């Protein structure tokens, strides 16, 4: 705030009327965003609100469909990432783009090495080290240029990323969730640096899920929701609760066609499941006919739990009981034999086999039933595949179409059909509606309803809270690898849930029964 | 503007090349061209005995190429084929001297399978590069063959052994009958059995296959084992043809096999490719090699030509399965 008083009249960055469409989705619609020199401008919003899209447009990863970008008053046309760099726009991503077997200095100067005596192709390592040392002193960073990146801890790697971003005289620095991997002391150090940068007149855009922390260094905050600019406020005058309510927006109606179902007996019981450092002491049960939600931020461990129970990854301690009997699950086959199916969030990477047909994908897990002595019975296989494709209303030219050519929603249905086909009774959905357009989402919700109506049990991990509140019976909130609360989906408010997954409302395990019996 | 048009024309060129090479379209053309050129130039090409010659060449390449197809379908490869052929040749002929022809042949095929199983198990269990494992195995097997024989060939085998490699059933050489049988069996495996389906699934998307409950490690081991079995069979047939045990058998085998498989349109990225493609690939390669022989092309030059054909095939593979 102090730094930007003198610069107030000269905007460093103005993004105006930015619109971006993806197939089936309006990611950004007429968004306005600006930035002053020496300012930290927070950008917040729920998943899918359009934060990353906006940032990617600014850094040249995407091109906007409409809208103008002005840097220091001049209209610019950013087509490629390197053009953004030339304009002095640097981005620090959450995932590190560092090469572990090179030193700090070599990483920072990667791609623009200093030649020895002007001879091209010969690298002058010592002058790279010297330049790096000067940079470190300028930024007051405690890093040694000759240290190998593989020896650094997460926070130090983050600092190297920051140093790299700043080594090219940046005017605008974009930080995409910079604190999500850091400890509190490391965060302090990062914030010290941010303050230094502000003094040097650098404008900083900070995307963060951790509102509490971000408030410490932020000057202004812009809230996005559903691709629209909701409000821009001075941070000091705004309470976190108000920000959360702005992020959440209006109430949800029948986007979620939840049906009431009879709750049956317990089909799955998980006790004290632990895998350090990903999750600890996870205990919950799942009943026939219910949809249970798992809410949590990225890194809360919710998908790790799903994957551990389904035999994809291992867990260290704990027990799993299926239908009252102890289950030993050490591989995906074990899980499938227990009637548990995992439906991955990344359909293309983990779910379907793109270059196989619908029929082949649907019967993949249950091929044993369509075989005699290892020889396929094509007619039976085709019949079964037809049956399930029809039941799930998979839209396709033919059952022999390659799954590659189906839409996202229909691909998801193919995976569900596969699980149904091998007679699963327990379905673990990991972000089932990610990257699916609104119409197909509702279809997936209808499928969830049908699954539980027919006596299945569903565990639904999602980072979209409205989806969880709309479709689930109960919701578990996860924070830092622990279940910190259980809520009745009908009664809980979105703010309450948000608070829980941000770690603001911590329940001890003793308090939980209170919530359990509503 | 100038930039734009340049981009467009190069795009069209790219598309043209893509279309030209995509699918099986160009293989029959290549065959036709070769046959016509050679037949026009050389009278002894289109003779019955040369046809039998080609079919024999075809059969031996077919065995190792069909074997090679299985590891390639699961996005691997088997470079050990040559060494394994040497080891099998030596061990099976030695066994033959002791226990008779049929036990020797069976043992040879079995040993080939064991080499494959070890390859596959190492690759699957420790999740290491098939390139390194099979390259190592190649050297190991060759070393074994040379050590046992001290580098010498094994002679004095029963006359009946040469039946496999040199005799005919009707007009067909025995190896041709064997190769046809192998094509049939492999077709059934790939397209009519669970194992075959799992191979395509594993090659197409290993993680998805695993999550679908497929024992990916087992499938991998079995694919390499099948390759080993066919390599063993090929070695026995060739040993029979030369009626001796040869520690140096099959030095160029894996390269030719991979070439045939890739020319046949099997993707080196795994999960895709048909047996009839491999059939055509084998036909093309054996025709090329026969034509070059008949045209009296220097054998060293032949090696170079073959190498170029192989590299071309891999480039085509890139075009065909390039992800946009």
């Amino acid at each position: 705030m102090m730094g930007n008083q003198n610069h107030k009249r000269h905007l460093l960055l103005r993004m105006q009327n930015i619109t971006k469409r993806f197939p089936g989705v309006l990611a950004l619609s007429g968004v306005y965003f600006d930035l002053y020199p020496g300012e930290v401008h927070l950008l917040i919003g729920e998943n899918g609100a359009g934060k990353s899209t906006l940032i990617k447009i600014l850094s040249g990863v995407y091109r906007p469909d409409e809208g103008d970008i002005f840097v220091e008053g001049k209209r610019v046309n950013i087509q490629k990432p390197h053009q953004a760099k030339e304009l002095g726009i640097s981005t620090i991503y959450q995932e590190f783009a560092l090469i572990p077997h090179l030193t700090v200095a070599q990483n920072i100067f990667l791609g623009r090495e200093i030649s020895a005596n002007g001879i091209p192709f010969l690298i002058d390592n010592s002058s790279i080290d010297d330049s790096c040392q000067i940079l470190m002193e300028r930024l007051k960073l405690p890093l040694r240029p000759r240290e190998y990146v593989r020896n650094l801890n997460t926070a130090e790697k983050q600092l190297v990323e920051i140093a790299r971003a700043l080594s090219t005289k940046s005017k605008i620095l974009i930080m995409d969730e910079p604190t999500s991997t850091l400890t509190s002391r490391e965060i302090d150090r990062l914030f010290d640096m941010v303050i230094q940068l502000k003094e040097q007149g650098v404008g900083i855009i900070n995307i963060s899920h951790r509102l509490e922390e971000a408030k410490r260094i932020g000057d202004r905050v812009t809230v996005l929701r559903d691709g629209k600019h909701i409000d821009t406020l001075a941070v000091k005058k705004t309470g976190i609760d108000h920000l959360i309510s702005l992020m959440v927006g209006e109430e949800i109606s029948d986007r979620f066609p939840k049906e009431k179902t009879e709750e049956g007996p317990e089909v799955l019981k998980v006790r004290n499941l632990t895998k350090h450092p990903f999750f600890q002491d996870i205990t919950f049960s799942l009943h026939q006919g219910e949809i249970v939600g798992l809410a949590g931020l990225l890194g809360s461990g919710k998908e790790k739990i799903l994957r551990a129970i389904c035999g994809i990854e291992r867990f260290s301690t704990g027990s799993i009981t299926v239908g009252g009997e102890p289950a030993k699950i050490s591989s995906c086959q074990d899980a499938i034999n227990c009637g548990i199916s995992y439906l991955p969030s990344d359909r293309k990477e983990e779910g379907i086999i793109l270059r196989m047909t619908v029929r082949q994908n649907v019967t993949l897990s249950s091929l044993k039933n369509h075989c005699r002595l290892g020889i396929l019975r094509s007619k039976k296989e085709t019949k079964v595949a037809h049956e399930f494709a029809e039941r799930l209303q998979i839209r396709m030219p033919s059952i022999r179409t390659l799954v590659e050519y189906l839409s996202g929603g229909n691909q998801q249905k193919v995976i569900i059909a596969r699980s149904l086909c091998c007679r699963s009774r327990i379905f673990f959905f990991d972000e089932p509606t990610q990257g699916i357009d609104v119409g197909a989402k509702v279809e997936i919700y209808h499928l969830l309803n049908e699954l539980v109506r027919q006596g299945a049990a569903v565990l639904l991990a999602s980072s979209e809270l409205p989806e969880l509140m709309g479709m689930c019976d109960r919701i578990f909130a996860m924070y830092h690898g622990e279940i910190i609360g259980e809520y009745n989906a009908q009664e809980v408010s979105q703010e309450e849930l948000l608070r829980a997954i941000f770690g603001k409302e911590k329940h001890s395990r003793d308090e939980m029964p209170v919530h359990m019996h509503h | 503007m100038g930039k734009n048009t340049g981009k467009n024309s190069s795009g069209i060129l790219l598309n043209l090349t893509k279309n030209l090479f995509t699918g099986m379209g160009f293989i029959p053309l290549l065959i036709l061209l070769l046959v016509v050129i050679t037949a026009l130039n050389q009278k002894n090409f289109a003779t019955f005995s040369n046809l039998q010659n080609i079919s024999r060449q075809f059969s031996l390449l077919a065995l190792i190429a069909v074997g090679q197809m299985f590891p390639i379908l699961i996005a691997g490869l088997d470079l050990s084929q040559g060494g394994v052929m040497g080891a099998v040749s030596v061990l099976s002929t030695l066994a033959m001297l002791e226990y008779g022809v049929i036990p020797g042949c069976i043992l040879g095929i079995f040993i080939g399978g064991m080499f494959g199983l070890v390859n596959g198990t190492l690759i699957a269990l420790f999740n290491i590069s098939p390139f390194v494992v099979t390259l190592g195995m190649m050297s190991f097997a060759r070393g074994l063959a040379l050590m046992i024989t001290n580098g010498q060939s094994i002679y004095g085998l029963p006359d009946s052994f040469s039946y496999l490699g040199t005799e005919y059933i009707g007009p067909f050489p025995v190896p041709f009958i064997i190769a046809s049988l192998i094509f049939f069996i492999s077709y059934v495996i790939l397209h009519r059995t669970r194992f075959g389906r799992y191979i395509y699934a594993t090659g197409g998307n290993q993680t998805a296959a695993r999550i679908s409950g497929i024992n990916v490690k087992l499938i991998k081991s079995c694919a390499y084992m099948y390759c080993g079995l066919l390599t063993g069979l090929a070695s026995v047939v060739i040993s029979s043809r030369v009626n001796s045990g040869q520690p140096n058998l099959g030095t160029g085998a894996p390269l030719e096999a991979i070439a045939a498989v890739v020319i046949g349109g099997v993707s080196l990225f795994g999960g895709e490719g048909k047996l009839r493609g491999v059939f055509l690939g084998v036909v093309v390669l054996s025709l090329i090699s026969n034509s070059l022989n008949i045209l009296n092309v220097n054998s060293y030059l032949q090696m170079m030509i073959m190498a170029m054909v192989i590299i071309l095939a891999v480039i085509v593979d890139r075009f065909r399965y390039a992800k946009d």
Side-chain angles (χ1 to χ4, degrees), chain A residues 311-312 332-333 336 342 348-353 355-356 359-360 363-365 367-368 371 374-376 378 381 418, chain B residues 7 188 191-195 197-198 200-202 204-216 271-272 321:
Chain A
I312 300 159
C332 301
Q333 288 117 278
I336 286 174
Y342 174 74
K348 290 206 165 91
E349 286 297 318
E350 304 195 322
I352 45 174
I353 294 159
R355 303 289 289 173
M356 285 176 98
R359 178 183 68 148
Q360 290 169 338
T363 56
L364 196 58
S365 291
L367 222 45
K368 259 184 205 146
C371 279
I375 307 279
L376 294 174
S378 313
E381 191 197 347
R418 180 195 296 157
Chain B
K7 231 183 207 169
V188 171
H191 298 291
R192 291 275 174 270
T193 67
R194 211 160 73 211
F195 174 53
R197 180 69 58 79
Y198 286 174
Y200 279 103
T202 303
N205 186 341
Q206 194 179 317
T207 319
R210 190 164 71 94
I211 288 178
S212 302
I214 295 172
N215 189 340
V216 170
E272 216 161 349
Y321 298 107

Side-chain angles (χ1 to χ4, degrees), chain B residues 68-308:
Chain B
Q68 186 69 253
M69 182 188 181
F70 279 68
I72 290 182
L73 275 179
I74 53 165
L77 85 174
D78 186 355
L79 296 175
S80 71
Q81 279 182 313
V84 170
M85 284 169 81
V88 167
S89 179
V90 165
L91 290 169
S92 65
T93 46
L94 280 177
M96 225 167 270
L97 291 174
E98 285 289 314
Y99 307 108
V101 172
I102 291 173
C105 292
I106 292 174
L107 186 81
I109 297 168
F110 176 78
I111 290 170
M114 283 304 107
F115 272 113
L117 186 64
V118 172
N119 273 336
T121 309
L122 287 174
I123 290 163
L125 222 53
F126 300 109
N127 205 11
I128 29 182
S129 147
F131 179 82
V132 176
V133 173
T134 59
L135 195 65
M137 189 57 80
M138 171 185 86
S139 192
F140 179 88
R142 182 75 70 202
L144 182 71
L146 290 168
M147 188 181 75
I148 291 173
T149 58
N150 213 1
Q152 305 298 307
S153 305
I154 295 164
Y155 293 107
L157 300 169
D159 284 342
S160 58
F161 179 46
S162 61
Y163 173 84
L164 273 182
T166 54
E167 287 303 313
Y168 298 85
I169 297 177
F172 303 112
V174 175
F176 184 76
I177 303 289
I178 294 175
S180 307
L181 211 67
I182 290 302
F183 266 114
F184 175 73
I185 294 171
S186 303
Y187 179 82
V188 171
I189 289 178
L190 282 177
H191 298 291
R192 291 275 174 270
T193 67
R194 211 160 73 211
F195 174 53
R197 180 69 58 79
Y198 286 174
I199 282 184
Y200 279 103
T202 303
N205 186 341
Q206 194 179 317
T207 319
R210 190 164 71 94
I211 288 178
S212 302
I214 295 172
N215 189 340
V216 170
K217 290 187 159 93
L218 183 69
I219 297 300
K220 280 187 173 179
S221 302
C222 290
Y224 281 95
M225 188 174 81
Y226 189 71
C227 177
L229 286 172
L230 292 195
T231 309
L233 179 60
S235 172
V236 169
V237 173
I238 300 175
S239 303
S240 150
R241 179 146 181 78
V242 294
N243 205 22
S244 59
Q246 297 286 353
N248 279 314
L249 207 65
T251 33
L255 195 60
E256 279 181 38
I258 293 169
V261 171
V262 174
I263 289 173
V266 179
S267 169
L268 283 174
F269 304 113
E272 216 161 349
K274 297 209 162 64
L275 196 62
R276 66 156 191 264
V278 174
F279 173 81
L280 287 176
V282 174
V283 169
V284 168
L285 271 197
S286 31
L287 275 179
I288 292 176
S289 130
N290 183 269
S291 303
L292 293 176
N293 268 333
I294 287 197
L295 292 170
N296 274 326
V297 175
N298 178 312
S299 68
Y300 301 127
L301 182 61
Q302 281 194 29
M303 276 173 79
M304 292 161 68
I305 292 174
M306 281 304 206
M308 288 191 292

Side-chain angles (χ1 to χ4, degrees), chain A residues 11-16 68-76 172:
Chain A
L11 271 176
L12 186 55
L13 168 76
R14 187 153 54 95
M15 298 175 83
Q16 214 166 271
D68 300 303
I69 303 173
F70 299 87
V71 174
E72 292 180 319
K74 265 180 273 172
R75 189 167 177 279
V76 294
I172 299 170

Side-chain angles (χ1 to χ4, degrees), chain B residues 36-51:
Chain B
V36 169
I37 291 175
T38 318
L40 281 180
N41 285 317
Q42 302 290 333
K43 286 198 182 78
N44 46 354
F45 178 74
T47 60
F48 187 67
S49 80
N50 188 45
L51 216 62

Side-chain angles (χ1 to χ4, degrees), chain A residues 68-171:
Chain A
D68 300 303
I69 303 173
F70 299 87
V71 174
E72 292 180 319
K74 265 180 273 172
R75 189 167 177 279
V76 294
N77 187 7
I78 305 172
Q79 298 277 331
K80 291 268 160 65
H82 73 89
Q83 290 170 331
K85 262 184 199 144
E86 281 159 18
L87 287 165
I89 302 169
S90 306
T91 312
I92 302 163
Y93 292 104
Q94 222 177 331
E95 305 92 31
F96 300 114
L98 299 175
I99 297 165
H101 303 295
L102 294 181
T103 64
V104 169
Q106 285 165 347
N107 264 289
I108 288 175
F109 288 91
L110 197 65
R112 46 202 170 85
E113 285 82 0
I114 302 162
S115 308
N117 306 323
I119 306 166
F121 311 120
L122 278 184
I123 294 173
D124 187 350
N125 269 314
S126 67
S127 59
I128 287 179
D129 289 346
D130 293 343
S131 314
C132 184
Q133 189 60 45
I134 294 168
L135 181 72
M136 291 302 154
E137 277 159 22
R138 180 164 70 88
L139 300 172
K140 300 198 179 73
L141 284 183
L143 293 170
R144 289 188 301 127
R146 285 166 192 274
E147 187 66 73
Y148 284 93
V149 165
R150 60 166 180 266
N151 299 333
L152 303 181
N153 64 30
T154 315
E156 287 168 333
K157 282 182 193 155
Q158 179 88 69
L159 294 178
V160 176
E161 278 280 356
I162 293 169
R164 178 153 83 179
L166 294 176
S167 64
T168 52
K169 300 254 170 1
S170 305
K171 288 180 235 157

Side-chain angles (χ1 to χ4, degrees), chain A residues 235-253:
Chain A
V235 168
K236 278 199 179 147
K237 294 176 194 155
T238 315
I240 287 192
D241 291 334
H242 182 49
L243 285 180
I244 289 180
S245 70
L246 284 177
M247 281 162 66
V248 174
E250 71 269 82
E251 289 301 306
I252 359 145
S253 49

